[in-house]
Structure formats: structure tokens, C-alpha cells
Amino acid sequence: MSNFLIYGANGYTGELITRFAAERGLKPILAGRNAAKVEALAGQYGFEFRVFDLSETAGLYAALQEVEFVLHCAGPFSLTSEVMVEACIRSKRHYLDITGEIAVFEAMAARDKMATEAGVMVMPGVGFDVVPSDCLARHLKNRLPGATNLTLAFYGLGRISHGTQATMTMNVGRGGAIRKNGEITSVPAAWKTREIDFGEVKKLGVTIPWGDVSTAFYSTGIPNIEVYTIVPEQQLKLLKLSRYLGWLLATKPVQRILQKQIPAGGPSDEEREKGKTYLWGEASDEAGNKVEARQQGAEGYTLTALTALNIAEKVLAGNFCAGFQTPAKCYGADLILEIEGVAREDV
Ligand SMILES: NC(=O)c1ccc[n+]([C@@H]2O[C@H](COP(=O)([O-])OP(=O)(O)OC[C@H]3O[C@@H](n4cnc5c(N)ncnc54)[C@H](OP(=O)(O)O)[C@@H]3O)[C@@H](O)[C@H]2O)c1
């Protein structure tokens, strides 16, 4: 039977994906650079493991020979994805990751031709960012094929993990981003706010540079995209302040201090079980037509593990699309409805 590699398996999300994989009867090969942690995790589930740093080319290429594809879980991906995707394409292996970083999505999109020629799929963003929102975007596009504007919003109840916080901290000071006339365009941090009606709750949303600014364009062709999320009032003030202090927060000494303070781990099982995610989206066209939809699902990390493994199982079964792909572009808007606990309604 074909198999896959989970690289960064000992991280918070990698471990969760490993645990869920075991529960589904999958037997991935675990990998990472920390021998003691990777070995201990593999021992817990009776899985095989490989230990190599991403700079150890021989170890990386040897591990790729043993599998059909990689599910890359070691982030921040702006620091780890280039080496891995390059090795995958050269080895004619598929590449999946759980990034949410716009720059990483764009770098992957630029590898479309290489991946297509190699006959492999490069699909970044198989987690909460971007599977649920990508499917919602594609659903709205299906309902309004001539849409020119797309607004998406999400609200996650729950704590964030070490890696998510590390990635966010690394990107602080880079401001916001939207897509305008097909181009990714920089805007100030917390550029716009608007009230979002998630159905069960109404909240004040603020624009953020979420992955869909990149991916929803490839999934829908809609040229104008904004993504909103909900942040506590205090954090909104800090975001606005980062417009002026961002340069300072981005300097190496300050980054070192900030990164050291981030606690390891992520939400406990209990917290994940209590958590929930809400999404809302709207597409409109130049004639003033508008469609709206909402979606609800499990907590963000639970959803990440479920969507990543759902896609991994498809690839294992030979169901993939060659080239750079987004989840909804390859598998359609209803991919998300295959995930337990997800519900979508048109407004
Ligand atoms: N798309 C989504 O919805 C979603 C959901 C969850 C997480 N994420 C992203 O996934 C990433 C991981 O998050 P997490 O909370 O699981 O992180 P974490 O607990 O900090 O774990 C990170 C993992 O990556 C490994 N790693 C980091 N830098 C590496 C490098 N340069 N070379 C090799 N391995 C490296 C770490 O290895 P060591 O233990 O050896 O340091 C560890 O295994 C983050 O970028 C986060 O933003 C995205």
C-alpha cells in the first residue's frame, strides 16, 4: 500500500494529525529533526520514523523515495517549505502542507508548471486555513458565476498553538493585504472593520492578510478579495498600533525576545472539543447581485487535522490533480461537507 510522510510530526499540529491518522487506520512515516521526540511519538503509535534536518539533502531525498507524498507540518512555512516542495517535485512526489501564509501560497503557485510537468500535486493550505473558506468561496462563485467581489470572514473560538503564534509574530509589522483587480495589494494592518453576521453571533470583523487573499483567486477567479476575522477590542488597538511600531517589532532582537515568550503546545483536547469555528462569505457582481452563505464546523486545530487527513486519503487513493492546486479547485466546494460536524447554509 502507498504511504505518506508527516514532516514536523512532533509539533502540536503534527502530533494531532498523527493521532487522528492512527485512529483512521493510516500508518504514515513520521519525520522531523528532533530524534528523541520523533522516535518517542512513533513508538507511541507503532509507526516508522525518519530523522533529518531539512538541510540534510540525502536524508530528505531518501525518505521521499519511500512515500507517495509529504504532509508538511513544520512551520513557519516561509522558512521550511521551499526546500521541501523542491525536493518533492524533483522526486515526483506530491506535496501537501498546512500553511496559511500568503507568500508561501504565491511561491507554490509559481511552481505550477514544474509540478504539472512532474505530474505531481502541490497543494498548500490543507488545514483550517484554507480548506473551509476556500470551499465557501467556491460555493459562492458557483451560485454567482459573474462575481467580481468576494468577502470572507471567520471566527474561531479557542486558543492558538505555538506554531500559529510564532508565524503570526514573525509576520507582525508586515501590514495587511487584500486582492484588488487580481493583484495582491498591501493595505495597513486592520485596514477596515465591518459587522459580520455569523448567524448565531454578530461580531465586529477586521481585515487580515489570510491565505484566501491568495488562494480564493485561483479557486474562483474573483479579482477582488477581502478576508475578515474577529479579534478582541484590545488586540484591535494593538493591530492598529502595529502600523506605526511594526518596523520595530519586526527587527531581529525584538523578534528573538517575542518568539522566546511563546508557550509550547496548543489547545488541550477539552478545549478543542468545546471550540467551534464560524465562517461567513459574500460574493457580488457589478450589476449589484449578491449571494451570501455561512458555514460552521469544529474547532480550528481539530478541523485542520480532519481536512488534512481527508485530502491525504484522497491522494493515497490516487485522487489528485497535477500542478499547483487549492483544495476547492481540485476537489470542489463540497469537499468541506465531507468533514464531520460541518454545516453550510445559504443566507
Ligand atoms: N493552516 C492552518 O489552519 C494551520 C493550522 C495549524 C497550524 N498551522 C501552521 O502550522 C505550523 C506548525 O504549527 P504548530 O503549532 O504545530 O507548531 P509547533 O508546535 O511549534 O511545531 C512546529 C514543528 O515544526 C518543526 N520545525 C519548525 N521549524 C523547523 C525547521 N526549520 N526545520 C525543521 N523542522 C522545523 C518543529 O520541529 P522542532 O520540534 O525540532 O523545533 C516542530 O516539529 C505553523 O506555521 C502554523 O501556523 C496552520
Side-chain angles (χ1 to χ4, degrees):
M1 188 190 147
S2 60
N3 208 353
F4 66 110
L5 190 79
I6 301 181
Y7 189 83
N10 64 292
Y12 174 79
T13 316
E15 265 202 61
L16 192 63
I17 291 176
T18 299
R19 193 200 322 166
F20 281 24
E23 287 167 9
R24 293 162 93 115
L26 301 168
K27 291 186 176 8
I29 300 177
L30 307 186
R33 61 183 175 178
N34 184 320
K37 286 188 181 170
V38 175
E39 183 172 2
L41 185 67
Q44 208 177 321
Y45 296 104
F47 290 168
E48 286 192 44
F49 68 95
R50 306 286 177 264
V51 177
F52 55 90
D53 187 275
L54 290 172
S55 61
E56 291 169 37
T57 312
L60 170 59
Y61 279 77
L64 290 177
Q65 290 310 308
E66 303 183 81
V67 293
E68 297 284 307
F69 67 94
V70 170
L71 173 51
H72 191 28
C73 297
F77 292 92
S78 46
L79 305 178
T80 65
S81 59
E82 202 179 321
V83 175
M84 184 62 92
V85 74
E86 192 74 28
C88 282
I89 296 175
R90 284 182 194 279
S91 308
K92 297 199 187 318
R93 299 298 189 256
H94 308 291
Y95 170 92
L96 310 178
D97 76 24
I98 54 166
T99 191
E101 296 165 76
I102 291 174
V104 175
F105 286 117
E106 289 298 302
M108 298 289 166
R111 286 188 159 82
D112 180 48
K113 190 166 174 276
M114 259 177 88
T116 306
E117 283 168 6
V120 297
M121 179 163 86
V122 169
M123 184 182 282
V126 299
F128 176 68
D129 190 350
V130 291
V131 178
S133 44
D134 195 46
C135 291
L136 187 61
R138 184 66 229 180
H139 174 68
L140 292 165
K141 166 76 178 182
N142 290 346
R143 288 179 58 206
L144 189 65
T148 51
N149 287 69
L150 176 70
T151 310
L152 296 167
F154 69 94
Y155 175 38
L157 295 173
R159 213 150 58 84
I160 60 172
S161 71
H162 173 271
T164 305
Q165 216 172 317
T167 307
M168 283 165 60
T169 304
M170 203 179 81
N171 289 319
V172 75
R174 295 200 180 155
I178 59 163
R179 203 177 268 274
K180 195 174 169 191
N181 301 326
E183 299 295 325
I184 294 177
T185 306
S186 296
V187 293
W191 181 52
K192 278 195 200 170
T193 55
R194 66 175 275 180
E195 183 162 271
I196 313 281
D197 185 357
F198 291 101
E200 278 177 26
V201 282
K202 271 190 193 162
K203 294 271 176 190
L204 184 69
V206 56
T207 47
I208 57 157
W210 198 243
D212 302 273
V213 170
S214 165
T215 51
F217 180 63
Y218 301 108
S219 313
T220 67
I222 300 175
N224 299 297
I225 302 166
E226 288 176 9
V227 184
Y228 290 74
T229 192
I230 312 306
V231 296
E233 207 170 305
Q234 194 57 26
Q235 212 176 322
L236 183 58
K237 282 187 191 147
L238 284 175
L239 267 175
K240 287 187 175 163
L241 195 66
S242 78
R243 291 178 191 171
Y244 312 102
L245 290 179
W247 64 271
L248 179 64
L249 298 174
T251 58
K252 276 191 183 159
V254 178
Q255 276 291 315
R256 258 197 300 274
I257 296 168
L258 293 176
Q259 292 285 350
K260 264 194 193 151
Q261 288 170 355
I262 301 171
S268 65
D269 285 356
E270 206 186 344
E271 285 171 315
R272 280 192 304 95
E273 271 148 36
K274 279 196 203 139
K276 198 170 179 180
T277 47
Y278 295 93
L279 276 87
W280 167 90
E282 178 187 271
S284 58
D285 66 14
E286 274 165 3
N289 298 306
K290 208 179 253 188
V291 289
E292 244 182 278
R294 297 185 189 121
Q295 215 170 266
Q296 282 190 16
E299 183 273 349
Y301 293 91
T302 303
L303 213 45
T304 292
L306 293 174
T307 53
L309 290 170
N310 179 277
I311 291 173
E313 282 169 345
K314 288 184 192 301
V315 184
L316 281 175
N319 178 4
F320 66 89
C321 312
F324 164 76
Q325 298 293 333
T326 63
K329 188 172 167 224
C330 181
Y331 298 116
D334 291 348
L335 168 71
I336 193 65
L337 302 182
E338 295 172 17
I339 306 298
E340 63 188 67
V342 172
R344 185 176 69 205
E345 58 161 351
D346 292 336
V347 182

